[in-house]
Amino acid sequence: MARKKLIAGNWKMNGLLADGIDLTKGVAAEVKAMGKPECEFLVCPPFTLLTSVKRALRGAKVALGAQDAHFAEKGAHTGDISPVMLKEIGCQYVILGHSERRADHGETDELVNKKAVAAHECGLKTVICIGETLEQRDAGKTIDVCSKQILGSVPDSATAADTVIAYEPVWAIGTGKTPTAADVEEVHAAVRKVLAKKLGKGNANKMRILYGGSVKPGNAKEFLSLPDVDGALIGGASLKVADFIGIAKNAGC
Ligand code: 13P
């Protein structure tokens, strides 16, 4: 089953205008220079940069995504942004349920699910994040935790066309630590099985499952050549053109 790899940058709360535009132009130029890359590219800047990044991406085969969205279309939700607002300014994707949102804002599987339904309804694709903490891993609960997050966070109506999963072990994010390749493949294969039960085999076989957590040019090949790893969700290394593109190139894009 051929799944096109997705190389996605999550800039998190980083980037003022000038730096964000430099980074975007650098990524756009490198992706253009690749001609017809084997992979798809996605950048997810903070809300404040979305419109400017969209403009700077013009003509480049790099999709634009946001890092969160509310489930409501509009209304009294101070500080929130709705999916339809993101769609209007040219976003194609939105990351939902990142472990930093689950930790910093108490987001639950139920909430992530509601957000995903709303995002899909207005035509946004979602990158739904899951992953265990170090305590959960040490207790041998990784697969259980990830399965539960998939069952709870992914809408029953999700399809391979509108949903991407990102497996990001919490303890591997921003730490330079990573699971072994065998561990990553084990989780991804287990996640695909849960997806098959939930959404049917057709969707599960086509749905992309990204790995995230300290992905660098130096480990990209090891992770992205695994059979059930369909790309990467990259934090720190997505803030440098050479690292982001280096990951893609080493992954065979
Ligand atoms: P790092 O690549 O900085 O570890 O972050 C991963 C991540 O959280 C991407 O969403």
Side-chain angles (χ1 to χ4, degrees), residues 190-218:
V191 164
R192 205 175 297 286
K193 264 195 193 157
V194 177
L195 289 169
K197 269 195 204 143
K198 185 178 170 75
L199 307 174
K201 267 197 177 163
N203 276 316
N205 286 338
K206 285 190 222 140
M207 193 170 283
R208 292 180 288 191
I209 308 175
L210 314 183
Y211 169 74
S214 297
V215 177
K216 307 271 184 283

Side-chain angles (χ1 to χ4, degrees), residues 10 12 95 98-100 129 168 172-175 212-216 233-237:
N10 173 8
K12 308 192 179 183
I95 297 171
H98 191 281
S99 63
E100 287 149 15
C129 304
E168 302 202 301
I173 295 177
T175 59
S214 297
V215 177
K216 307 271 184 283
L233 184 55
I234 305 154

Side-chain angles (χ1 to χ4, degrees), residues 68-86:
D68 181 43
H70 200 274
F71 56 81
E73 195 183 322
K74 60 180 178 175
H77 302 287
T78 304
D80 280 312
I81 301 286
S82 81
V84 70
M85 291 169 173
L86 297 175

